[in-house]
Amino acid sequence: MSAVPPFRLLRLHLASRSVLPALVAVGAFALALRLTAHWLHTPGAWTRTVPLITVLGAAAVIGVTTWNPLGEVEGTAGHHLPGLRFGTVLLTVATAAIVFGAAAAGSAVPGGSTTLLRQLAGLTGIALLSAALLGARQSWTVPLVYTLVCARAFDLGWASLWVWPTRTGPDTAATAVAAGLLAAGLGVIALRGPRDNAP
Amino acid sequence: MTSVLRLEARRNITPLLLPVMALLLWFSPYGRSLGDLALWARRSSALQESLLGIAPFMAGVAAWTASRDGRGQTLDLLATTPRGSWRRGLYGWAATTLWGLLFYALAAALLFGLTAREATWGGPSWWAVAVGAVTIVTFSAAGHALGVLFPGRFVAPLTAVGSFLAIVVGAVVKTQNNPYGLVTPVGTSIDPDRAMFYKTGPAEDIVQLLFLTGVTAVAIGVLALPAAAGGRWVRRTGTALTAAGIATAMAALWLAGGAKVNVNEGRIFIPHLQSTPADQEISYTPVCDRSPIPACVHPAYRRTLGQVAAALRPVTVQLAGLPGAPQRIDLRLNGPSTPVGGAPPVLYLEPPLDAADAGEPIRGGDAQQLRSFLVTDVVTAPGSEPTAAQQAVMLGVLAVAGDPMDTAVLPTRGEPDASVTAAARRFAAAPAAERRQWLGAHLGALRAGRLTLKDLP
């Protein structure tokens, strides 16, 4: 049995994770942010929530891309799987970061690009950890619940580290939490993969 | 039919999410309103605002349920069953919607049950309840339609997050006084406190109900249009539903488009549904205490009456019975601009609604501000800058009431000079009987601005 060429293996893995539709969806959320940016110049809880929801959309999509349509059989097919899973998630996160950075550039997004990218990283980490705990298809529920709590935190003026997405601008603690969540999510998904493969 | 619905209800994943939705309800304005003063308008509004947490989940779950057959690759198998795909899918949608409505009904019953025990005036806004229920039906229908049309792995998260985004963007648009934002069921434009004093009517609710009903009809109708959806009657029903839904949603947008929204003042006017933009006061019988000058509040704020009266009493005991002093103090929103008027003379003060709504005691700064406004309205003429003598008497009366000689709450520009403060100290130090005698003899002249500091005792 001959080995699959590396590039073809990567392409097949990306196709099995529906990465292209995922990137289209990420682009749609970034476009939504860009289109609504001119309404976000007024300070307020609602205007601060809009960018967070758009990055939530990207994070939720990235979490669902970890679903494996091949089931347990995939695990027996070779030892490249952790690297492929890591590379796939990293590719989608990096693309999302570039797309959202471009969408926020020169617009009135509250908190600016720094806050947006931190929120993207942290929420993606939560989505990946949820995929490992609950399953890839259910991974969007936890980030959605957390974002709803953060939306309320915007309204009540909470700025605790428990609701780190509410912090804007350069904030070392919030950045550390977001980076930690992303690193943990990436590590767990790469090594273990999502919890189940139910249709 | 009932057995299929029961089967779908058992298979539905909404019950698994009910604890999460209950947690979100607690974090929403719903949970916070339970600690505030029990006002029906505020609690009804809080119930409607809680939809922000419920609606995206209902949409996501409905999309998940509707895409189940597509994900499980059982569509070909199901195509051999006697029922068309449209009618088959409706059971799953109905099960999701019924779970959502059951949760909402329980949440409403709990909130209104607690409010009924505590509230002292008014009743629930059933229009707000109806908007909430229809919102759940609509988001569930939209999720169902998207799940059927795009049964991929991304449909549930995209539907849930997209619904969340749509609601919040609608609220953002509304807060910027854009009338089309009125179709959004959250981010209410009407101030609940204002709704205690002025008739708001169901105009905004009607627009929202129309829009949501239209979207629901379109979402369910378009699924009946393909040939595989069912027979001729199913397609005809789908066409009629889609057409009616588009017409209803467009009518709602037309009604909203003509509206004038002022979110800062918490008021809207929809010309096609309301006859006049002018405020229509709600008639109510105020509740009053037995102070020397009785303080009266809206019956909904009856629980705060004792605190309001206690806050005013140190000043009312000094002014009661004086010629020109009010015989009643009425705390109401946007009272008449002439401070003391009518027969018997009534003084209108703005109620401390923020503290009252939050269930906080009316003391400290709030109480001091009430006393300050009372003294100012009694001692000065409306619209005029206080003279030095008026300032000194105001500060003196407030000092006797126990307030610090702090001019921050008085309607003066800048700090009064030292002579005013000295006169105020002298006035406050005078015996109570002498002060009262002097005020009885000179209050009219003082109010007219004819006295100087030298005329004070």
Side-chain angles (χ1 to χ4, degrees), chain B residues 159-455:
Chain B
T159 303
V161 179
S163 305
F164 188 14
L165 185 63
I167 295 174
V168 172
V169 168
V172 168
V173 170
K174 197 189 286 189
T175 56
Q176 297 182 2
N177 295 331
N178 186 321
Y180 291 105
L182 289 177
V183 299
T184 311
V186 302
T188 179
S189 326
I190 294 170
D191 179 6
D193 281 322
R194 190 180 161 74
M196 310 304 294
F197 294 91
Y198 298 100
K199 289 177 184 165
T200 52
E204 187 182 13
D205 299 314
I206 290 171
V207 169
Q208 289 168 357
L209 284 172
L210 278 175
F211 185 74
L212 293 167
T213 307
V215 172
T216 306
V218 171
I220 297 302
V222 292
L223 297 179
L225 297 180
R232 194 173 55 189
W233 281 107
V234 168
R235 287 200 298 279
R236 282 183 182 173
T237 306
T239 307
L241 271 176
T242 307
I246 291 171
T248 310
M250 294 302 287
L253 287 170
W254 174 72
L255 287 171
K260 289 181 173 57
V261 185
N262 189 333
V263 173
N264 290 336
E265 292 182 12
R267 57 208 289 181
I268 59 166
F269 173 58
I270 303 175
H272 303 295
L273 294 175
Q274 292 167 297
S275 55
T276 170
D279 291 330
Q280 292 177 285
E281 283 192 46
I282 292 174
S283 174
Y284 65 86
T285 306
V287 286
C288 305
D289 80 319
R290 296 172 187 275
S291 296
I293 303 176
C296 304
V297 298
H298 189 292
Y301 299 94
R302 182 191 294 266
R303 288 177 193 278
T304 67
L305 177 62
Q307 294 176 22
V308 167
L312 292 172
R313 194 166 293 123
V315 170
T316 54
V317 293
Q318 297 181 63
L319 303 178
L322 294 175
Q327 289 187 16
R328 186 160 65 91
I329 300 167
D330 194 344
L331 287 94
R332 65 170 62 207
L333 206 63
N334 304 329
S337 55
T338 305
V340 183
V346 178
L347 186 142
Y348 295 95
L349 287 179
E350 290 288 319
L353 293 179
D354 287 342
D357 289 343
E360 294 168 358
I362 299 168
R363 60 186 180 209
D366 289 322
Q368 192 180 338
Q369 198 170 40
L370 269 182
R371 289 191 288 270
S372 168
F373 286 150
L374 167 59
V375 175
T376 304
D377 286 349
V378 170
V379 170
T380 66
S384 62
E385 185 71 15
T387 65
Q390 287 170 340
Q391 287 180 41
V393 171
M394 287 190 284
L395 287 172
V397 170
L398 290 173
V400 172
D403 291 338
M405 197 81 74
D406 183 1
T407 57
V409 291
L410 292 183
T412 55
R413 294 195 187 116
E415 283 289 308
D417 57 34
S419 59
V420 171
T421 316
R425 285 189 212 287
R426 203 170 62 240
F427 182 83
E434 185 185 342
R435 274 200 318 272
R436 186 169 177 78
Q437 191 179 14
W438 185 89
L439 282 171
H442 299 96
L443 187 57
L446 179 71
R447 194 174 154 83
R450 292 198 299 270
L451 301 186
T452 65
L453 290 177
K454 289 178 184 170
D455 299 316

Side-chain angles (χ1 to χ4, degrees), chain A:
Chain A
M1 191 168 69
S2 60
V4 180
F7 180 74
R8 183 153 181 260
L9 184 64
L10 179 64
R11 189 172 59 78
L12 288 173
H13 187 80
L14 293 178
S16 73
R17 266 54 178 178
S18 299
V19 168
L20 192 61
L23 292 180
V24 171
V26 168
F29 278 111
L31 184 66
L33 176 65
R34 186 76 194 181
L35 292 176
T36 55
H38 68 279
W39 284 320
L40 307 181
H41 58 275
T42 314
W46 294 117
T47 52
R48 291 181 69 191
T49 307
V50 171
L52 186 62
I53 299 172
T54 57
V55 294
L56 163 71
V61 164
I62 292 168
V64 176
T65 55
T66 61
W67 181 66
N68 159 27
L70 305 173
E72 291 177 351
V73 181
E74 192 183 56
T76 65
H79 58 274
H80 298 299
L81 206 49
L84 286 169
R85 284 196 290 242
F86 182 82
T88 304
V89 174
L90 202 62
L91 174 74
T92 47
V93 172
T95 310
I98 293 167
V99 171
F100 272 93
S107 63
V109 175
S113 306
T114 314
T115 306
L116 199 65
L117 296 180
R118 185 168 62 219
Q119 291 169 342
L120 173 69
L123 288 178
T124 303
I126 294 173
L128 295 174
L129 289 170
S130 306
L133 286 170
L134 303 174
R137 285 193 184 271
Q138 292 81 23
S139 63
W140 55 275
T141 52
V142 178
L144 176 60
V145 170
Y146 185 64
T147 305
L148 282 162
V149 172
C150 288
R152 187 73 182 127
F154 281 132
D155 193 24
L156 298 174
W158 293 349
S160 155
L161 208 54
W162 289 106
V163 283
W164 53 267
T166 59
R167 298 188 174 192
T168 53
D171 187 305
T172 312
T175 306
V177 171
L181 284 168
L182 180 62
L186 267 171
V188 169
I189 278 296
L191 295 173
R192 286 193 52 215
R195 183 177 172 213
D196 64 4
N197 288 302

